[in-house]
Structure formats: structure tokens, C-alpha cells
Amino acid sequence: MADNDLPIDTSGWRQDSGQHLLITATNFTDKACTLYHYPYVRFGTDIGDAVAPTESKPRAAATIGPKEKAYAGVFVFRAGQQTRTVTSFSLGYQDRAPDSNREVAPLDIRLSAEVGTLTVGPNPRVTYWNTDLRVVEDFLFRSSGNG
């Protein structure tokens, strides 16, 4: 699958003060596409380890048909933490085996105009891919497991 077959969009939530980022992958092919585990997310020019997963309920896969979407949420900072500002991030995909493809070149994603810049703390966390946006929102906003 080519990079433009599964474009990535970013957005935030109105009720949020920039502490969360929504990553949306949309399948523009005519075949089903499967996203495994959670995306590898690195902010700014970091070369180090990818953002760790949250304690969200892991799903082995999120399969999306043509024109369907999958979502991952990122908890980026907690009030009072030392933060830095970024305008982009990198994103990588896993295969069926957990923690696979760490060495594959990630996609460079510029934050959408809606988001603009993002404040990132020292311990961001990413949820597992999910085809239900409400599941991601429930975890990020109603769970204590996001940091």
C-alpha cells in the first residue's frame, strides 16, 4: 500500500486544552486495510524511542474497508509538566507481530492547520488503533490510564 492510499489527518477536541491529539487514517484504496497494534509516534526531530502505548485495551488489529477510518489518540502532556512545542511528528506502522517494523522509515506528518502546533510533555502516550472513535475518546477523557 502506498503512503497516499492511507493519508493521516490530525485534529484536537474543543473541550480539551491541547492535551490530546487525534490521529485519523483513512483508507483510499478499493481493498480492506489492516492497522496493527498502535502507531509508532515520534514528535519533532526526536530520533529516540517511539511514544509508549497507553494502557488502553489493545486490539490486535483495526481493519478498515474502502473510505473507512481508524483512529489513535495521543495524550501529549499533563498540566504543570515541562513541555516543548512541535509542528510535526513521524508515524510508523507495525505488522502482525507486536513491536515489528521499528527500523522502517516513518512517514513525516505535518500537523493540520486546525492543530497548528502541539505542546508535548516528557511522557506522551498513544492508544491502540481502533475503528470506533468513541472508544478512543472514552479512554482519553474518562480513563485514568493516559499518563
Side-chain angles (χ1 to χ4, degrees):
M1 179 174 308
D3 295 345
N4 59 348
D5 290 341
L6 193 65
I8 298 295
D9 191 25
T10 59
S11 59
W13 285 271
R14 277 189 301 252
Q15 75 273 20
D16 189 33
S17 48
Q19 293 180 308
H20 301 89
L21 176 71
L22 177 64
I23 299 171
T24 304
T26 305
N27 181 359
F28 280 113
T29 70
D30 58 357
K31 297 178 183 176
C33 172
T34 300
L35 299 172
Y36 296 97
H37 312 291
Y38 57 91
Y40 294 130
V41 174
R42 289 179 179 86
F43 289 105
T45 58
D46 284 353
I47 300 172
D49 290 335
V51 170
T54 62
E55 295 175 9
S56 61
K57 292 184 180 179
R59 292 186 56 164
T63 300
I64 51 177
K67 310 296 185 263
E68 292 181 344
K69 299 176 185 223
Y71 309 93
V74 184
F75 171 76
V76 289
F77 77 94
R78 187 178 308 283
Q81 289 182 326
Q82 185 172 2
T83 60
R84 60 194 166 101
T85 302
V86 300
T87 58
S88 65
F89 65 98
S90 64
L91 183 138
Y93 299 106
Q94 297 186 49
D95 279 334
R96 284 184 175 100
D99 298 320
S100 59
N101 288 346
R102 285 192 180 271
E103 305 305 317
V104 174
L107 303 172
D108 291 320
I109 309 292
R110 178 146 305 283
L111 294 169
S112 67
E114 174 194 331
V115 175
T117 61
L118 191 64
T119 302
V120 180
N123 298 306
R125 298 283 186 258
V126 63
T127 67
Y128 287 77
W129 288 110
N130 202 301
T131 55
D132 188 341
L133 176 59
R134 289 173 298 188
V135 171
V136 173
E137 290 175 334
D138 284 348
F139 181 78
L140 289 176
F141 295 107
R142 292 174 187 85
S143 167
S144 61
N146 59 9

